[in-house]
Structure formats: C-alpha cells, structure tokens
C-alpha cells in the first residue's frame, strides 16, 4: 500500500483484494450507509467517510493519526490474495469467491459486535440496522451532527429491559441487559476471551442469556477475529446442504470464517 496526503484527505493506493462496498454490505456490520459512492460509518467514537476507485481508497477529512485505526479495521495488512488463492482450490469456492472477490472480515470492536449479533437473533438486516441506530442515538455519545458512538457497557449498566423499550428490540432487550450485567460483574470477560482457545471463548460468551452457538460464533469472528469460526444461519445451512453435504473441503482450514462470509453472501443473493 502507498499513502498520500491531499488537502484534508488521505489516499491509500495499491489496495489489493478489497471491495469496500462488498465488505461493508455483506451482513457483518450494521452502521454503514452509502450515498453517491461515499460510505459513512461510525466505529467506536470515530466517524468515517470513505470511497473506493479500483485499488484506491479515499479517506475524507481524516486525521493522519487515525489512519492506522482504519487500516486495522479493514484488515488491509492481511494477505487476502494468498488466502483466497487457497480457498479457490475448491471448485465451488472458486465460483463463489470470483463472484464476490474482495470481501474482507472487518475487525470490529468486541462489545459492539457482541451486542449487534444479540440484536441480530431471528431478525433481518434492515431491522437490525434500525434497532442499533436507535440504541446509539438514545444511549451513545453524540460525535457529530448525525453520528452517535455505540454505547459502552458502562453507559448501559443502569438500564433495565423496560428502559430499552424505545429501541424496539423486543425479547432481545433482556439479553442485552444480561450481557451488560455479566460483563460488569466479570462473570464474562471480553478481555479474557481474547486469550482463550476458540472452544473456551465460545463457552465464555454462551454464559450470556440468548447467546447460542450462532451468535457466539458471529461475535468471535467479527469482534475477536477468530477466523476458525464458522457461524451457521439459515443461508449457510442451505449452502452447506447444497454444496458440501459431506463436509467442508480441507482448504478452508484456518480460514473457515472467511469462507463462511463468501458462502453466506453468495447464497443470500441467489434468486433460488
């Protein structure tokens, strides 16, 4: 990658194997919107405006010191070309990856990923986005005229499920509250999870009410970068039965989470 500074913008060129649009709109993150080719999103307490032209990313009005944060968030220093070359040794994954080439697993903030995928339970993406937006507006810090930070565990610690009624999350509100309470009491430690083996990390998250295997796997993949996870929702279960009834090919080992994201997005966008 090459970095140039032009006025108040930062331009990163030679960005290989990365599609901004696919990565931000493939069901792994819920706080990004696109308008006239420019994507706007909020991560932690940082708002970003960014666009892409082939292998060039344009970060608008971004401070130089904030660039490393976004390089890490988009996981731009990982060799995705090599990973995809490995995955594409399988005939079906070759088709899937070619069609949606450039998806990367975003390195999201652990609490935001956990809370977001609790909200995602038995839900659809437009409604998930709406619930999360209301949660941020009501309980997060305002960081610009139209942007609010994702509320921290501390900011939510005094709330009951009834207090969360305005976000219209339904039964999920009590699960958010349980997550907050268990983290506050250190019955579940997000910091400790980072050092655990996958199965132990999964069991740690499943101490929270409403966090089953699928939600735990999503939180681990998107919030903790456990690339060996393979979350299974209805779309992934369908694609497994259709393409891999006898199990996944060996080439996905070590990169199951990346393979899952490609398979999920591909299957969800098929018409049948």
């Amino acid at each position: 990658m090459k970095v140039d500074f032009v006025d108040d913008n930062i331009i990163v060129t030679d960005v290989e194997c990365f599609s901004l649009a696919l990565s931000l709109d493939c069901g792994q993150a819920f706080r990004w919107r696109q308008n006239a080719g420019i994507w706007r999103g909020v991560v932690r307490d940082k708002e970003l405006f960014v666009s892409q032209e082939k292998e060039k990313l344009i970060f608008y009005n971004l401070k130089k010191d904030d660039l490393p944060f976004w390089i890490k968030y988009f996981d731009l220093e990982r060799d995705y070309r090599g990973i995809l070359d490995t995955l594409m040794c399988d005939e079906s994954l070759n088709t899937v990856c070619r069609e949606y080439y450039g998806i990367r697993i975003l390195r999201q903030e652990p609490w935001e990923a956990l809370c977001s995928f609790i909200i995602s339970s038995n839900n659809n993406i437009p409604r998930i986005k709406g619930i999360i937006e209301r949660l941020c507006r009501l309980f997060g810090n305002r960081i610009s005229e139209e942007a609010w930070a994702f509320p921290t565990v501390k900011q939510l610690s005094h709330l009951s499920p009834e207090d969360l009624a305005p976000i219209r999350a339904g039964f999920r509100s009590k699960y958010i509250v349980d997550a907050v309470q268990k983290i506050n009491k250190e019955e579940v430690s997000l910091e400790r999870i980072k050092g655990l083996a996958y199965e132990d990390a999964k069991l740690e998250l499943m101490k929270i009410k409403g966090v089953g295997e699928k939600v735990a796997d999503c939180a681990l993949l998107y919030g903790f970068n456990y690339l060996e996870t393979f979350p299974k929702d209805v779309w992934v279960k369908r694609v497994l039965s259709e393409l891999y009834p006898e199990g996944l090919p060996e080439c996905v080992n070590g990169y199951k989470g990346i393979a899952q994201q490609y398979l999920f997005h591909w299957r969800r966008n098929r018409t049948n």
Side-chain angles (χ1 to χ4, degrees):
M1 291 182 297
K2 180 183 177 183
V3 179
D4 292 309
F5 301 91
V6 180
D7 298 324
D8 293 326
N9 303 330
I10 299 177
I11 300 176
V12 180
T13 54
D14 300 328
V15 179
E16 294 185 338
C17 191
F18 178 61
S19 168
L20 183 67
L22 287 175
S23 297
L24 296 180
D25 200 31
C26 65
Q28 61 173 317
F30 307 102
R31 300 204 66 199
W32 291 92
R33 305 288 188 277
Q34 186 266 140
N35 182 35
I38 297 177
W39 288 86
R40 169 187 168 273
V42 181
V43 177
R44 295 185 183 174
D45 58 352
K46 299 179 184 295
E47 183 179 22
L48 181 69
F49 293 84
V50 59
S51 67
Q52 183 175 24
E53 299 173 6
K54 296 183 178 180
E55 294 189 345
K56 177 172 70 175
L57 292 175
I58 304 171
F59 295 88
Y60 299 93
N61 299 310
L62 183 68
K63 295 178 182 178
K64 181 179 179 180
D65 291 346
D66 284 337
L67 182 60
F69 175 88
W70 294 106
I71 294 293
K72 181 179 179 181
Y73 176 80
F74 292 120
D75 207 12
L76 295 180
E77 295 181 325
R78 192 185 300 273
D79 178 20
Y80 261 76
R81 183 178 295 279
I83 293 170
L84 291 184
D85 284 348
T86 299
L87 294 180
M88 290 164 68
C89 290
D90 175 75
E91 182 178 354
S92 294
L93 274 168
N94 187 292
T95 299
V96 170
C97 291
R98 286 185 184 279
E99 188 165 348
Y100 291 105
Y101 199 78
I103 293 177
R104 288 187 180 231
I105 300 297
L106 304 173
R107 303 194 68 168
Q108 301 182 57
E109 194 275 327
W111 162 243
E112 181 172 345
L114 172 60
C115 187
S116 295
F117 282 96
I118 288 174
I119 290 169
S120 79
S121 179
N122 295 312
N123 217 340
N124 60 66
I125 290 177
R127 190 162 183 270
I128 296 165
K129 289 183 175 182
I131 293 169
I132 292 173
E133 183 66 17
R134 290 188 289 274
L135 178 70
C136 296
R137 284 176 178 258
L138 288 171
F139 303 108
N141 293 331
R142 191 169 192 164
I143 58 178
S144 76
E145 185 176 348
E146 290 295 329
W148 286 258
F150 198 92
T152 64
V153 170
K154 183 177 181 181
Q155 287 174 312
L156 299 176
S157 61
H158 65 287
L159 302 179
S160 68
E162 291 71 27
D163 294 322
L164 289 175
I167 72 172
R168 304 200 294 277
F171 65 87
R172 305 164 193 85
S173 290
K174 62 179 179 288
Y175 299 151
I176 296 171
V177 169
D178 189 71
V180 168
Q181 291 176 346
K182 283 188 167 68
I183 292 169
N184 275 331
K185 295 175 183 177
E186 297 188 354
E187 293 178 31
V188 173
S189 170
L190 302 186
E191 282 301 314
R192 185 168 63 242
I193 285 172
K194 296 176 183 178
L196 295 177
Y198 161 61
E199 291 294 344
D200 292 331
K202 187 172 179 176
L203 289 173
E204 181 81 358
L205 286 179
M206 289 173 66
K207 294 176 183 177
I208 299 167
K209 291 179 182 178
V211 176
E213 290 198 23
K214 185 255 184 178
V215 170
D217 277 337
C218 286
L220 290 174
L221 177 58
Y222 305 120
F224 296 87
N225 209 234
Y226 279 73
L227 295 183
E228 63 267 48
T229 63
F230 194 84
K232 297 178 184 177
D233 74 338
V234 62
W235 297 110
V236 174
K237 289 177 181 177
R238 286 179 188 174
V239 81
L240 288 177
S241 67
E242 293 166 357
L243 300 181
Y244 303 108
E246 297 181 5
L248 290 165
E250 290 186 5
C251 67
V252 306
N253 292 340
Y255 309 116
K256 285 184 178 180
I258 297 173
Q260 180 271 351
Q261 193 64 42
Y262 276 86
L263 290 166
F264 165 79
H265 192 62
W266 177 79
R267 185 60 183 86
R268 186 167 64 100
N269 283 282
R270 288 183 62 192
T271 56
N272 56 7

